[in-house]
Every structure is written in C-alpha cells, then in structure tokens.
Amino acid sequence: MEAKDVQLNDEVQDLINQVNNLYPGKVTVEFIGQLQAGFVRHDQAQQMQLGKDIQIQVADLTAPNYTASHELLHLLMILSGFPQVFFSLTTGQPQLDEQLMIMGTELYDIVSHEVVVSEQRKHGLITPEINDLYLKGVEATLKPEPEERDDEMTLRTLTLLDALVFFGPDDDAINAQFAKDYPVSFAAAQKLYQTITAKPVTSPFSLRRNVVKLFKAFDAQLEAWHLPALHNSEFTTLTSVMSQRQLNLSVRQVFELYHSDMHEKTTQRRGYVGFNKTDQQNAFVLPAPKPSEDEPGYYTKIYDMTVQDLFDMLKMPYILR
C-alpha cells in the first residue's frame, strides 16, 4: 500500500472535522513513506506545527485509522481544555534534558490514554486485529527481562503500564504472558496502574490529579530499584486547573516559590519553581531577578499578585474548573 492510496474511514474523518471546529488554523493528516512495520506503536505518528496549521504525520501504514485517530484524540483533548505539559527548565545538559522531557511526556501521555483508548473503543477503532498489532508492538519494543536488573527497567515498566491502559487489567492471557516475560517490571506496572485508575479521568482536573500521582509513584518505584528518580514534580510544568475563587487569591495563598538548581531556559538565569501547595507540582517557572533588580522586592511583588494576574503576566495557560 502506498501513502497516496490510504483512505481514512468515516470515524476518523469525523475526528478531523471535530478538531478543525476547535482549532483556529487547519489540521490535516498526511501519510509519509510506505513503511509497514506489522505492529502498532504510539511513536508512528507525530504532530508538526506548520505556521498556524498542524499536520499529523503518520509514518507507518500498518493501521492508518488507528494511528491517525490516536494522534487526533490527543490533539482534541488539548483543544477541549485538558492540561498539557511544558518544559521551562534546563539541567544544562541537553541530552539529559531531552531524556527527562521524553519521560515526562510519556508519563503524561499514559494517563491521557485512559481517555484516548476509551474513545477509540467507543468509535470501533480498536478491533481484535488492532489488539494483536499492539501486542506485537510491545514485543518489538521489549526484550524479555533478565534475571539481574538492567538499564531497560524504566522502558519496560512504562511500556507495560501503557499496555495495561490499552488492554485493561482483566485480560488473563496477556497478563500471564507479561508476568512470564517481564515479571518484575509487570508487577511494578500493575501497581502503578492501580494508582492511576483508583479514580477515573472524567475531567481536566482528574486528569491533572492522576498525572501528578503517576509522577510521584513512578519516582518511588525507580528509587526502590536504586535508579535515579526523574523529578517530574519539579522538572515538568503541568497546566493548573483552577476555580475562579482560586484565580482571585494571592499567589502566596496558592503557590510556594522554590529556588531550583536548574536554570530557566530562555533567560538561562536560575529558575524559581512555583509549586502548587496542595500537590507540590510545578505550576510555573520564573527566572531569578537580574542582578540589578531588588531580589526581596521582586518576590514580594510576585507573592502579592493575584494568581490570575501572574498567569496573565507569564502568558501561562490555565484551565477554569
């Protein structure tokens, strides 16, 4: 099959129309290349910003309707007012930054998949054949777990957690296979799955809460394995979901500013992270004041602002509960 021969079905065309009704530019789906890997995986498509427009590029033609709809639903969630992740801090090591951004996005995406997968099932876009192709994707990504813990534990656990979101927790045959091939990582993934499904994602607020819970639980698992934690609670900014009452409060009532060891990306000055007091998650990042500015006065001014005024000043998007 060639890219030019791909016909998207009515369900996916409907999704394209829904997205275009919400997005100010134009959103299109393009098929690039002729690759058919024979499995599905979530890295087979990406969103590209082209000026005001967005192009969803599908780079694998194994299951075009599934792959395109998956990416469209992620976009639809953000356009419908679900939280996003931002990366405003740098460790000063580009490779490490890149790794942390990939992992933070992956954890956020796994929680988003609770909504994406359920919508795909609702629209008949996940069939027994797609289930098989997804399982092949897991097997293409992971080698069976060795006796001794290796440096693939993080990838295995993330992949298996995502698979649990996809298949649900009750598929006995798949659970038995995962437990046999990846005993330690699968047990960890099951525990994390319980954490993120204890309360379902039914709103932007509940999605945000589950992402914060996963950031913390994933670090706790890595530390239990004596692996370095990711510190997404500090490194990754997650959109705030606020009531009008909270927006009218002063910054000091809702957030605590902490001096980070990392730098704010655009100014390269030391970063100050605004942590939400209720869940200790990074909600915004400020650069430290310039040497010429009065430091105590700078923070007093920030703390005295209303949350609404601070978000407006930072051009920081937020979601109204």
Side-chain angles (χ1 to χ4, degrees), residues 88-107:
S88 309
L89 290 167
T90 173
T91 61
Q93 301 173 57
Q95 254 183 312
L96 178 58
D97 286 356
E98 184 68 19
Q99 255 183 317
L100 291 171
M101 283 158 68
I102 288 168
M103 301 296 268
T105 305
E106 184 70 25
L107 290 165

PDB file of all heavy atoms in Angstrom, residues 88-107:
ATOM      1  N   SER A  88      10.204  24.272  30.958  1.00  0.00           N
ATOM      2  CA  SER A  88      10.813  25.612  31.003  1.00  0.00           C
ATOM      3  C   SER A  88      12.164  25.597  31.701  1.00  0.00           C
ATOM      4  O   SER A  88      12.803  26.625  31.822  1.00  0.00           O
ATOM      5  CB  SER A  88       9.897  26.576  31.758  1.00  0.00           C
ATOM      6  OG  SER A  88       8.597  26.513  31.252  1.00  0.00           O
ATOM      7  N   LEU A  89      12.568  24.434  32.227  1.00  0.00           N
ATOM      8  CA  LEU A  89      13.832  24.344  32.975  1.00  0.00           C
ATOM      9  C   LEU A  89      14.875  23.579  32.170  1.00  0.00           C
ATOM     10  O   LEU A  89      14.533  22.730  31.345  1.00  0.00           O
ATOM     11  CB  LEU A  89      13.600  23.621  34.309  1.00  0.00           C
ATOM     12  CG  LEU A  89      12.786  24.368  35.369  1.00  0.00           C
ATOM     13  CD1 LEU A  89      12.382  23.411  36.488  1.00  0.00           C
ATOM     14  CD2 LEU A  89      13.581  25.550  35.944  1.00  0.00           C
ATOM     15  N   THR A  90      16.127  23.866  32.445  1.00  0.00           N
ATOM     16  CA  THR A  90      17.204  23.084  31.828  1.00  0.00           C
ATOM     17  C   THR A  90      18.222  22.697  32.901  1.00  0.00           C
ATOM     18  O   THR A  90      18.523  23.480  33.797  1.00  0.00           O
ATOM     19  CB  THR A  90      17.901  23.859  30.681  1.00  0.00           C
ATOM     20  OG1 THR A  90      19.041  23.093  30.241  1.00  0.00           O
ATOM     21  CG2 THR A  90      18.369  25.248  31.108  1.00  0.00           C
ATOM     22  N   THR A  91      18.729  21.475  32.772  1.00  0.00           N
ATOM     23  CA  THR A  91      19.773  20.992  33.691  1.00  0.00           C
ATOM     24  C   THR A  91      21.141  21.486  33.244  1.00  0.00           C
ATOM     25  O   THR A  91      22.131  21.298  33.945  1.00  0.00           O
ATOM     26  CB  THR A  91      19.817  19.441  33.685  1.00  0.00           C
ATOM     27  OG1 THR A  91      20.135  19.009  32.338  1.00  0.00           O
ATOM     28  CG2 THR A  91      18.495  18.834  34.109  1.00  0.00           C
ATOM     29  N   GLY A  92      21.186  22.074  32.039  1.00  0.00           N
ATOM     30  CA  GLY A  92      22.486  22.465  31.473  1.00  0.00           C
ATOM     31  C   GLY A  92      23.116  21.338  30.665  1.00  0.00           C
ATOM     32  O   GLY A  92      24.162  21.517  30.054  1.00  0.00           O
ATOM     33  N   GLN A  93      22.452  20.169  30.652  1.00  0.00           N
ATOM     34  CA  GLN A  93      22.940  19.031  29.846  1.00  0.00           C
ATOM     35  C   GLN A  93      21.856  18.670  28.827  1.00  0.00           C
ATOM     36  O   GLN A  93      20.862  18.022  29.186  1.00  0.00           O
ATOM     37  CB  GLN A  93      23.212  17.832  30.749  1.00  0.00           C
ATOM     38  CG  GLN A  93      24.241  18.092  31.841  1.00  0.00           C
ATOM     39  CD  GLN A  93      24.317  16.911  32.805  1.00  0.00           C
ATOM     40  OE1 GLN A  93      24.566  15.790  32.410  1.00  0.00           O
ATOM     41  NE2 GLN A  93      24.055  17.180  34.082  1.00  0.00           N
ATOM     42  N   PRO A  94      22.045  19.079  27.548  1.00  0.00           N
ATOM     43  CA  PRO A  94      20.987  18.905  26.544  1.00  0.00           C
ATOM     44  C   PRO A  94      20.479  17.459  26.442  1.00  0.00           C
ATOM     45  O   PRO A  94      19.283  17.230  26.318  1.00  0.00           O
ATOM     46  CB  PRO A  94      21.652  19.347  25.237  1.00  0.00           C
ATOM     47  CG  PRO A  94      22.745  20.278  25.670  1.00  0.00           C
ATOM     48  CD  PRO A  94      23.206  19.813  27.009  1.00  0.00           C
ATOM     49  N   GLN A  95      21.389  16.488  26.538  1.00  0.00           N
ATOM     50  CA  GLN A  95      20.964  15.085  26.413  1.00  0.00           C
ATOM     51  C   GLN A  95      20.067  14.666  27.576  1.00  0.00           C
ATOM     52  O   GLN A  95      19.061  13.980  27.387  1.00  0.00           O
ATOM     53  CB  GLN A  95      22.179  14.165  26.353  1.00  0.00           C
ATOM     54  CG  GLN A  95      22.412  13.627  24.953  1.00  0.00           C
ATOM     55  CD  GLN A  95      23.577  12.652  24.944  1.00  0.00           C
ATOM     56  OE1 GLN A  95      24.638  12.938  25.492  1.00  0.00           O
ATOM     57  NE2 GLN A  95      23.377  11.497  24.326  1.00  0.00           N
ATOM     58  N   LEU A  96      20.442  15.106  28.766  1.00  0.00           N
ATOM     59  CA  LEU A  96      19.645  14.784  29.962  1.00  0.00           C
ATOM     60  C   LEU A  96      18.282  15.481  29.873  1.00  0.00           C
ATOM     61  O   LEU A  96      17.243  14.871  30.154  1.00  0.00           O
ATOM     62  CB  LEU A  96      20.395  15.212  31.233  1.00  0.00           C
ATOM     63  CG  LEU A  96      19.655  14.982  32.566  1.00  0.00           C
ATOM     64  CD1 LEU A  96      19.302  13.508  32.756  1.00  0.00           C
ATOM     65  CD2 LEU A  96      20.495  15.476  33.747  1.00  0.00           C
ATOM     66  N   ASP A  97      18.285  16.759  29.452  1.00  0.00           N
ATOM     67  CA  ASP A  97      17.017  17.486  29.269  1.00  0.00           C
ATOM     68  C   ASP A  97      16.092  16.705  28.339  1.00  0.00           C
ATOM     69  O   ASP A  97      14.910  16.529  28.612  1.00  0.00           O
ATOM     70  CB  ASP A  97      17.263  18.879  28.647  1.00  0.00           C
ATOM     71  CG  ASP A  97      17.852  19.867  29.646  1.00  0.00           C
ATOM     72  OD1 ASP A  97      17.993  19.504  30.834  1.00  0.00           O
ATOM     73  OD2 ASP A  97      18.176  20.996  29.231  1.00  0.00           O
ATOM     74  N   GLU A  98      16.677  16.268  27.217  1.00  0.00           N
ATOM     75  CA  GLU A  98      15.904  15.541  26.195  1.00  0.00           C
ATOM     76  C   GLU A  98      15.271  14.276  26.794  1.00  0.00           C
ATOM     77  O   GLU A  98      14.091  13.999  26.609  1.00  0.00           O
ATOM     78  CB  GLU A  98      16.859  15.189  25.033  1.00  0.00           C
ATOM     79  CG  GLU A  98      16.207  14.509  23.848  1.00  0.00           C
ATOM     80  CD  GLU A  98      15.245  15.416  23.084  1.00  0.00           C
ATOM     81  OE1 GLU A  98      15.311  16.651  23.222  1.00  0.00           O
ATOM     82  OE2 GLU A  98      14.402  14.856  22.365  1.00  0.00           O
ATOM     83  N   GLN A  99      16.084  13.541  27.550  1.00  0.00           N
ATOM     84  CA  GLN A  99      15.606  12.298  28.189  1.00  0.00           C
ATOM     85  C   GLN A  99      14.468  12.594  29.167  1.00  0.00           C
ATOM     86  O   GLN A  99      13.452  11.906  29.186  1.00  0.00           O
ATOM     87  CB  GLN A  99      16.753  11.656  28.968  1.00  0.00           C
ATOM     88  CG  GLN A  99      17.331  10.432  28.284  1.00  0.00           C
ATOM     89  CD  GLN A  99      18.417   9.844  29.185  1.00  0.00           C
ATOM     90  OE1 GLN A  99      19.238  10.571  29.756  1.00  0.00           O
ATOM     91  NE2 GLN A  99      18.425   8.530  29.322  1.00  0.00           N
ATOM     92  N   LEU A 100      14.655  13.626  30.000  1.00  0.00           N
ATOM     93  CA  LEU A 100      13.644  13.973  31.004  1.00  0.00           C
ATOM     94  C   LEU A 100      12.352  14.434  30.334  1.00  0.00           C
ATOM     95  O   LEU A 100      11.250  14.124  30.807  1.00  0.00           O
ATOM     96  CB  LEU A 100      14.174  15.071  31.941  1.00  0.00           C
ATOM     97  CG  LEU A 100      15.301  14.655  32.894  1.00  0.00           C
ATOM     98  CD1 LEU A 100      15.873  15.869  33.605  1.00  0.00           C
ATOM     99  CD2 LEU A 100      14.814  13.626  33.920  1.00  0.00           C
ATOM    100  N   MET A 101      12.478  15.172  29.221  1.00  0.00           N
ATOM    101  CA  MET A 101      11.293  15.641  28.506  1.00  0.00           C
ATOM    102  C   MET A 101      10.533  14.458  27.891  1.00  0.00           C
ATOM    103  O   MET A 101       9.303  14.401  27.959  1.00  0.00           O
ATOM    104  CB  MET A 101      11.690  16.648  27.422  1.00  0.00           C
ATOM    105  CG  MET A 101      11.995  18.021  27.994  1.00  0.00           C
ATOM    106  SD  MET A 101      13.050  19.035  26.930  1.00  0.00           S
ATOM    107  CE  MET A 101      11.993  19.348  25.556  1.00  0.00           C
ATOM    108  N   ILE A 102      11.280  13.506  27.337  1.00  0.00           N
ATOM    109  CA  ILE A 102      10.641  12.317  26.740  1.00  0.00           C
ATOM    110  C   ILE A 102       9.890  11.544  27.817  1.00  0.00           C
ATOM    111  O   ILE A 102       8.734  11.150  27.637  1.00  0.00           O
ATOM    112  CB  ILE A 102      11.695  11.431  26.028  1.00  0.00           C
ATOM    113  CG1 ILE A 102      12.170  12.107  24.735  1.00  0.00           C
ATOM    114  CG2 ILE A 102      11.139  10.040  25.728  1.00  0.00           C
ATOM    115  CD1 ILE A 102      13.394  11.474  24.102  1.00  0.00           C
ATOM    116  N   MET A 103      10.540  11.347  28.978  1.00  0.00           N
ATOM    117  CA  MET A 103       9.915  10.549  30.045  1.00  0.00           C
ATOM    118  C   MET A 103       8.706  11.273  30.642  1.00  0.00           C
ATOM    119  O   MET A 103       7.675  10.666  30.892  1.00  0.00           O
ATOM    120  CB  MET A 103      10.921  10.267  31.160  1.00  0.00           C
ATOM    121  CG  MET A 103      12.149   9.537  30.701  1.00  0.00           C
ATOM    122  SD  MET A 103      11.752   7.912  30.099  1.00  0.00           S
ATOM    123  CE  MET A 103      11.956   7.022  31.588  1.00  0.00           C
ATOM    124  N   GLY A 104       8.844  12.588  30.874  1.00  0.00           N
ATOM    125  CA  GLY A 104       7.727  13.352  31.429  1.00  0.00           C
ATOM    126  C   GLY A 104       6.525  13.318  30.503  1.00  0.00           C
ATOM    127  O   GLY A 104       5.373  13.135  30.943  1.00  0.00           O
ATOM    128  N   THR A 105       6.788  13.470  29.195  1.00  0.00           N
ATOM    129  CA  THR A 105       5.704  13.434  28.204  1.00  0.00           C
ATOM    130  C   THR A 105       5.072  12.048  28.156  1.00  0.00           C
ATOM    131  O   THR A 105       3.852  11.912  28.059  1.00  0.00           O
ATOM    132  CB  THR A 105       6.243  13.824  26.804  1.00  0.00           C
ATOM    133  OG1 THR A 105       6.894  15.092  26.911  1.00  0.00           O
ATOM    134  CG2 THR A 105       5.142  13.900  25.778  1.00  0.00           C
ATOM    135  N   GLU A 106       5.906  11.024  28.240  1.00  0.00           N
ATOM    136  CA  GLU A 106       5.408   9.643  28.177  1.00  0.00           C
ATOM    137  C   GLU A 106       4.469   9.343  29.355  1.00  0.00           C
ATOM    138  O   GLU A 106       3.389   8.769  29.186  1.00  0.00           O
ATOM    139  CB  GLU A 106       6.618   8.690  28.194  1.00  0.00           C
ATOM    140  CG  GLU A 106       6.280   7.230  28.041  1.00  0.00           C
ATOM    141  CD  GLU A 106       5.776   6.849  26.650  1.00  0.00           C
ATOM    142  OE1 GLU A 106       6.107   7.541  25.674  1.00  0.00           O
ATOM    143  OE2 GLU A 106       5.034   5.858  26.575  1.00  0.00           O
ATOM    144  N   LEU A 107       4.861   9.756  30.553  1.00  0.00           N
ATOM    145  CA  LEU A 107       4.011   9.522  31.737  1.00  0.00           C
ATOM    146  C   LEU A 107       2.692  10.289  31.605  1.00  0.00           C
ATOM    147  O   LEU A 107       1.616   9.754  31.904  1.00  0.00           O
ATOM    148  CB  LEU A 107       4.751   9.950  33.012  1.00  0.00           C
ATOM    149  CG  LEU A 107       5.932   9.050  33.414  1.00  0.00           C
ATOM    150  CD1 LEU A 107       6.810   9.740  34.442  1.00  0.00           C
ATOM    151  CD2 LEU A 107       5.456   7.703  33.948  1.00  0.00           C
TER     152      LEU A 107
END
